[in-house]
Amino acid sequence: MLRRAIASTASAATALNSTAVSPMAARAMATAAGQHSQPDIILAGMKASKVTKMYHMTSAGLAAGVPLALLMGAPVTTIADMAFAVMIPLHSHIGMRSVIVDYIWDVDKQRAAIMLLGVFTVLTSGALVRLSLADVGLTQGVKSLWVKQNR
């Protein structure tokens, strides 16, 4: 049984590089081989299992980090804001990439959507870094939603 699984994974990786394979078959074979079916500028060269692990790590980091950042003071929030500037867009990128791969079947449209997602991920991360360095920061911005303004 293990030999069959190894052989099918090897043949899937070989067939993925072939142009005579339908898009749905290529996607299924890429998944079986632990690879992505479409190129991605953010997750280039990463195996699907590592991407899934990264998704779970960013989720745990955000779940623990956001409440701590909201409770802590200035030096900690600056470091947390910089971490959030990477983790939030990366976590969103991985999740939205899964949605794109699952629901957009046309290969060209899927490739364009993944590239556009990569552009938005980079822009979002850049905007969050700018907010953290040149403005009040993400944590202080969120805190200001609950603080009563004196007028």
Side-chain angles (χ1 to χ4, degrees):
M1 179 123 177
L2 181 60
R3 284 185 187 170
R4 264 191 236 151
I6 293 170
S8 69
T9 303
S11 66
T14 304
L16 181 62
N17 295 327
S18 168
T19 56
V21 178
S22 74
M24 282 182 56
R27 181 173 168 235
M29 287 183 273
T31 303
Q35 301 169 350
H36 292 296
S37 58
Q38 291 295 330
D40 192 340
I41 60 173
I42 305 294
L43 306 172
M46 294 186 72
K47 291 190 137 225
S49 60
K50 289 194 184 224
V51 173
T52 302
K53 190 173 188 176
M54 187 183 309
Y55 182 77
H56 292 151
M57 288 172 44
T58 57
S59 180
L62 290 169
V66 170
L68 287 174
L70 291 172
L71 295 174
M72 296 295 177
V76 175
T77 59
T78 304
I79 296 167
D81 286 347
M82 294 306 289
F84 295 154
V86 174
M87 283 196 301
I88 292 171
L90 182 61
H91 182 80
S92 300
H93 179 88
I94 295 169
M96 285 307 300
R97 187 188 189 289
S98 297
V99 171
I100 289 169
V101 169
D102 284 347
Y103 291 102
I104 298 177
W105 290 90
D106 182 41
V107 176
D108 294 330
K109 289 179 183 175
Q110 191 179 81
R111 187 173 291 129
I114 290 173
M115 283 189 212
L116 190 62
L117 176 65
V119 169
F120 280 125
T121 300
V122 169
L123 289 175
T124 302
S125 187
L128 290 174
V129 167
R130 185 181 182 286
L131 177 69
S132 298
L133 295 177
D135 205 349
V136 295
L138 185 60
T139 306
Q140 289 300 326
V142 171
K143 279 184 182 180
S144 71
L145 297 173
W146 285 280
V147 175
K148 186 176 181 180
Q149 299 291 328
N150 293 332
R151 292 186 180 193

